[in-house]
Amino acid sequence: TLDPYVAAYFAATDMDRKYERAQAMVVWWFDPIYANATGFKAPWTHVRIPFDVNQNARAQRGVFLDYEGARNIGMRPVIRDSLIDVVKRKDAETGSRLIGAFTKFVLPRSLTFQLLTTLRVHHRLSASTLFPGYYGAAREERERCMLGDI
């Protein structure tokens, strides 16, 4: 996503589904100004889909990265190396410092509830705003039960 708050929302909501044992949630931020100043060609390309035909992409300010460590088999992506690993390898090969364009934000799992509440109240980010349609409505009810009626 192009929106750091949306990234924080997904990190927080994934805590109970994908990463049940994780003790922290992580959001990476990329600084394009720093990256451009290095003069290094990034090992990825942004893939944007038209927002006018995809409500979810528009609501989430969605963007995809295609990078050298990811390859597709059929319709399923297979990640061979993480993006950070690819960037570190390229830095080592070329002597560049592109990794400096990345900042890692880590919040303990114990702040999940507070983060989701803050995003909902102050930034209007919730399942219903990020997933327009029936799926978002159903997911919204699940979130309301988890967070209480705020």
Side-chain angles (χ1 to χ4, degrees), residues 55-95:
Q55 291 180 344
N56 286 0
R58 181 175 49 247
Q60 298 165 14
R61 296 192 60 209
V63 64
F64 297 92
L65 292 179
D66 182 20
Y67 65 94
E68 295 172 3
R71 298 290 179 258
N72 288 331
I73 296 177
M75 294 298 289
R76 296 188 58 114
V78 176
I79 307 300
R80 294 197 176 127
D81 297 312
S82 75
L83 177 60
I84 297 301
D85 291 339
V86 170
V87 170
K88 286 179 180 177
R89 186 171 59 244
K90 289 291 185 183
D91 280 354
E93 291 171 3
T94 63

Side-chain angles (χ1 to χ4, degrees), residues 37-58:
T38 67
F40 177 68
K41 168 92 173 83
W44 66 82
T45 56
H46 281 107
V47 179
R48 291 185 190 218
I49 57 175
F51 286 177
D52 60 336
V53 297
N54 189 313
Q55 291 180 344
N56 286 0
R58 181 175 49 247

Side-chain angles (χ1 to χ4, degrees), residues 114-147:
Q114 183 179 348
L115 175 61
L116 287 172
T117 301
T118 299
L119 291 172
R120 177 181 286 274
V121 172
H122 298 289
H123 300 283
R124 295 192 60 222
L125 291 176
S126 66
S128 63
T129 60
L130 293 174
F131 298 97
Y134 294 120
Y135 175 74
R139 190 167 164 167
E140 177 76 17
E141 284 307 307
R142 181 176 174 267
E143 277 184 20
R144 284 179 183 262
C145 290
M146 181 180 74
L147 296 174

